Amino acid sequence: MGKIRYFFVVFLIVLLGIAGCSNVPNEPPNEPPNISVKIKNQTIEVSKGGYRWETKGLFSNSSVIADTASPMQIAESLIAQPVEKNSIAICKFSDSSKPTISANLWEEENQTKTLQVKDSKITLPSEKGRHIIEIYAEWKNGNASYTFVVDVK
């Protein structure tokens, strides 16, 4: 009877250990990280747009596709941040990742111009006026779009 009780206790401990692993605090996120954009140490308001994200867990895999409004529509709810011409926007992600990023200007529901990006730094336009900028980031497990608005003075 002692051996059976011993194996039963060991079995319960293993079972509880496996069940406890399903709530591991370091589970991979099920969406892309947030982005912080700074221009001359001033944080710019950014809105996450659509994304595709795959998560591989110990016992399951998941894939999420989020479709949102276009950058033009997202920009309607954002306040344009005044900046100097040819300012540099520095991008950092909340998980410290370094995805491949590109940046585009948007006008009338279309991408109109690609901006220069180097080492997560975007050279902003020199033309005066309100500019809607979309950042497109790619990781090995997905991609995401982020929108912000600047007013070049």
Side-chain angles (χ1 to χ4, degrees):
M1 193 69 155
K3 280 187 172 183
I4 293 174
R5 184 178 290 172
Y6 173 77
F7 285 116
F8 181 72
V9 170
V10 170
F11 175 75
L12 280 177
I13 291 171
V14 170
L15 188 62
L16 289 173
I18 291 172
C21 289
S22 65
N23 253 346
V24 177
N26 291 330
E27 280 185 14
N30 59 1
E31 68 178 57
N34 292 322
I35 190 172
S36 168
V37 175
K38 289 190 177 186
I39 301 170
K40 290 194 174 185
N41 292 324
Q42 187 169 6
T43 301
I44 306 300
E45 181 182 11
V46 181
S47 181
K48 187 186 296 180
Y51 60 86
R52 180 188 57 78
W53 199 252
E54 296 176 10
T55 305
K56 296 184 185 210
L58 184 60
F59 297 110
S60 67
N61 296 333
S62 70
S63 183
V64 177
I65 297 174
D67 190 21
T68 62
S70 73
M72 292 294 297
Q73 293 166 324
I74 292 171
E76 291 174 7
S77 65
L78 299 175
I79 297 170
Q81 186 66 46
V83 298
E84 297 173 14
K85 66 180 183 176
N86 294 320
S87 290
I88 303 294
I90 301 171
C91 305
K92 292 186 180 180
F93 291 87
S94 60
D95 66 351
S96 300
S97 62
K98 302 272 187 198
T100 302
I101 66 170
S102 60
N104 299 294
L105 290 178
W106 277 74
E107 290 179 24
E108 299 178 18
E109 294 297 333
N110 294 306
Q111 291 180 9
T112 58
K113 182 179 176 185
T114 299
L115 299 175
Q116 180 182 349
V117 178
K118 185 174 182 180
D119 298 326
S120 298
K121 296 175 183 170
I122 302 168
T123 303
L124 299 178
S126 58
E127 298 84 15
K128 288 184 178 185
R130 185 174 185 266
H131 299 280
I132 298 167
I133 299 165
E134 176 192 30
I135 298 170
Y136 183 76
E138 289 186 89
W139 294 263
K140 66 179 181 177
N141 57 321
N143 56 57
S145 169
Y146 304 86
T147 301
F148 68 98
V149 183
V150 295
D151 186 10
V152 177
K153 300 293 179 185

